[in-house]
Amino acid sequence: MTTPVLRSGSLRRRTIVAVVALVALLLVVLAVVVDVALGARLRGQIEDRLRDRAAATASLVGTVDDADLAERLSDQGLAVRIDGAGGESIVAGPSPEQLREAPPGPGGPGAGGPGDRSTPQAAPSSSVQVVASEVSGDDQLVTLRSTLSDGSVLTLTASAVGVGETLAQVRWIMAVASVGVLVLAAGAVTLVVRRSLRPLDRVSEVARAIGAGERGRRLRPTRADTEIGRVATALDDMLDDVVGAEQTAREAEQRLRAFLSDAAHELRTPVAGIRAAADTLVRADLDGPEREMLAAHVAREAGRASRLVDDLLMMARVDRGLELQRVEVDLRTLVDAEARRVPLVHPSVRLRRTSPEGAVMARVDVDRLAQVVANLVENAARATGGTGHIDLALEVRAHRAVISVTDDGPGVPAAERERIFDRLVRLDAARASAAGVGLGLPIARGIARAHGGDVRCTAAGDRGARFEVDLPLAAD
């Protein structure tokens, strides 16, 4: 599977380009809106002035000669055509083609308003009105065709060239202003983005420092709910995990070295005894009790070394993962079997067994679990010197089966109740004794955890120690 490549382009550059492009787009949209709105407004003003002049002219029809009216309107730079009801036509002012070529002068519609002095004034006695109007034209002309109530038609044409010139000037102003705005926006965005992304530079700096060996450096963001805060928090968590894993690996290496050293020390004692006894048997001409004593010593030390090797192999299997042969069994039978074994091995130990009346079913590897219980009972017997009291009990707590072994020996200090489950750890200093090498409890805990349970050392009152084997019931 191909690992996706992380795109690592400049975030600063991409942000600046994106913001400037967005500002440019907004400026273009604004320019288009202003151009359309201003053009429509200017043409609307020309149309309104043409309508005002048409209304004023209609009010003078019948009181002022049509030729005089046409002459007055043409003085304002308009192309005028009056078609009378009888078919006669009057044309005055520049033609539409002349208006296209040259815009009107200062007296045209672009300079005056509805109240201009040359605008025909309405007469109170006239009753002629505009009954219909129609506006037409193109980018350079605006034509208003008005039908009057007496049947005549008044056509006024004004130049719109000034509108285009005004819009062209506005476009140039907008273009120059937009360039200035883009330059200012690019500079401002560059400063803001550089300042906003400065924490990322610190992230890189801290990461390089940690890579150089400064494991204690952290970012510690003030807010963890922002983008940079989430990145910094994730980096701090990752560094904590890495440092923790490194520390754990270092401690594991130290424990492994100590374990190998202790295992070699434990094996050296019986091997040295076997070697010394064997050399004596080979070199010396011994007979009788001395030879038997040396042979017994060789057998004893060989058995001790064999037990240590067996424990080391079992510990290795526990670390690798035990293969359990699980069967559903009543745990009372396992406790009863151990209770029958103890008087045969330790006749001076006073054992008391406690079990519930109903069956306590669990899916376990019988041989492995019997090894755990036997190990705990053997430890209790050694702790009491082989003459004390041992309580072996089975009970059910919160849908879990608990097998407990309690003795009245010297007990285990509270600070040592977890350490005794480490490998090759013994509370006594006599490492050469036959009381074990400190692998029984780690093996017992490993077997119990392989069953989904655990082995714990708890307080047993004023005197003694209590070990509990916790196991899931078959129903669970």
Side-chain angles (χ1 to χ4, degrees):
M1 181 178 179
T2 304
T3 303
V5 179
L6 177 64
R7 298 180 61 183
S8 56
S10 174
L11 181 60
R12 181 180 292 109
R13 185 181 300 110
R14 283 188 292 178
T15 303
I16 293 173
V17 170
V19 173
V20 171
L22 179 59
V23 173
L25 178 61
L26 294 177
L27 289 175
V28 170
V29 173
L30 177 62
V32 172
V33 171
V34 170
D35 187 83
V36 173
L38 182 59
R41 179 59 179 167
L42 292 176
R43 289 183 66 87
Q45 290 180 351
I46 295 176
E47 294 174 4
D48 291 341
R49 288 167 183 167
L50 291 179
R51 287 191 177 92
D52 291 341
R53 283 158 177 75
T57 301
S59 65
L60 295 176
V61 172
T63 60
V64 179
D65 184 66
D66 290 346
D68 189 19
L69 286 175
E71 187 66 25
R72 293 184 183 184
L73 291 173
S74 66
D75 290 341
Q76 302 176 33
L78 301 178
V80 183
R81 181 184 177 90
I82 301 176
D83 297 319
E88 67 279 6
S89 297
I90 299 175
V91 177
S95 65
E97 287 72 15
Q98 292 174 338
L99 292 177
R100 288 180 186 276
E101 295 175 357
D116 199 308
R117 288 185 307 169
S118 59
T119 302
Q121 301 297 317
S125 60
S126 176
S127 60
V128 179
Q129 298 178 352
V130 177
V131 297
S133 296
E134 179 183 357
V135 178
S136 61
D138 51 26
D139 294 340
Q140 296 177 338
L141 296 177
V142 178
T143 300
L144 177 66
R145 182 182 176 84
S146 302
T147 302
L148 306 182
S149 58
D150 65 348
S152 60
V153 176
L154 174 62
T155 302
L156 302 177
T157 302
S159 174
V161 175
V163 174
E165 294 176 350
T166 302
L167 292 178
Q169 294 176 359
V170 172
R171 292 187 190 111
W172 274 106
I173 294 174
M174 290 291 295
V176 174
S178 298
V179 171
V181 170
L182 286 177
V183 172
L184 293 177
V189 170
T190 300
L191 295 177
V192 172
V193 170
R194 184 174 299 172
R195 183 178 181 85
S196 300
L197 297 182
R198 190 173 299 169
L200 292 180
D201 296 334
R202 185 165 181 269
V203 171
S204 302
E205 177 188 352
V206 172
R208 292 191 184 95
I210 292 173
E214 300 181 22
R215 298 293 191 265
R217 292 285 296 273
R218 293 296 183 273
L219 294 170
R220 296 183 180 86
T222 56
R223 291 184 59 183
D225 57 342
T226 62
E227 294 80 2
I228 296 179
R230 286 193 292 269
V231 172
T233 301
L235 183 60
D236 284 350
D237 293 342
M238 182 192 69
L239 294 175
D240 291 339
D241 294 340
V242 169
V243 172
E246 184 180 9
Q247 182 65 24
T248 301
R250 189 179 296 111
E251 293 174 355
E253 182 180 1
Q254 293 176 354
R255 288 196 300 268
L256 177 60
R257 291 179 178 178
F259 174 74
L260 294 176
S261 176
D262 290 342
H265 179 82
E266 294 293 341
L267 280 173
R268 182 176 61 183
T269 301
V271 169
I274 293 173
R275 181 177 180 179
D279 287 343
T280 303
L281 287 173
V282 172
R283 297 177 183 277
D285 186 12
L286 300 177
D287 195 6
E290 293 182 353
R291 186 178 184 84
E292 293 180 0
M293 183 181 64
L294 288 175
H297 180 73
V298 170
R300 184 172 59 253
E301 294 299 325
R304 180 181 176 186
S306 177
R307 287 193 301 272
L308 177 58
V309 172
D310 291 341
D311 289 344
L312 291 174
L313 290 175
M314 175 58 70
M315 198 72 248
R317 294 192 188 99
V318 169
D319 291 340
R320 188 173 59 249
L322 289 174
E323 295 181 1
L324 303 178
Q325 304 295 327
R326 292 175 180 265
V327 295
E328 191 166 333
V329 65
D330 186 356
L331 295 181
R332 294 182 304 171
T333 60
L334 189 146
V335 173
D336 292 341
E338 181 62 22
R340 290 192 297 268
R341 187 191 68 86
V342 172
L344 301 177
V345 181
H346 304 283
S348 299
V349 171
R350 293 177 292 278
L351 178 71
R352 183 177 65 180
R353 176 184 58 83
T354 305
S355 299
E357 296 181 359
V360 181
M361 306 302 296
R363 288 187 57 81
V364 298
D365 188 322
V366 179
D367 294 336
R368 299 292 189 191
L369 189 58
Q371 179 183 356
V372 173
V373 177
N375 181 280
L376 297 179
V377 173
E378 288 295 322
N379 287 346
R382 286 196 296 266
T384 60
T387 58
H389 291 82
I390 297 177
D391 290 336
L392 178 60
L394 171 64
E395 57 184 319
V396 177
R397 300 180 194 165
H399 306 291
R400 306 279 290 186
V402 178
I403 301 175
S404 61
V405 178
T406 308
D407 62 68
D408 59 352
V412 180
E416 304 288 341
R417 288 173 186 165
E418 189 62 28
R419 193 176 72 89
I420 58 176
F421 289 97
D422 293 338
R423 302 173 187 184
L424 298 174
V425 172
R426 293 179 298 179
L427 298 183
D428 60 305
R431 303 184 67 85
S433 68
V437 296
L439 288 176
L441 289 178
I443 291 174
R445 169 169 278 186
I447 294 174
R449 288 182 174 178
H451 284 83
D454 202 357
V455 176
R456 295 181 296 271
C457 179
T458 61
D462 296 336
R463 182 175 174 82
R466 179 185 179 89
F467 290 85
E468 294 182 349
V469 183
D470 175 81
L471 297 169
L473 296 175
D476 295 335

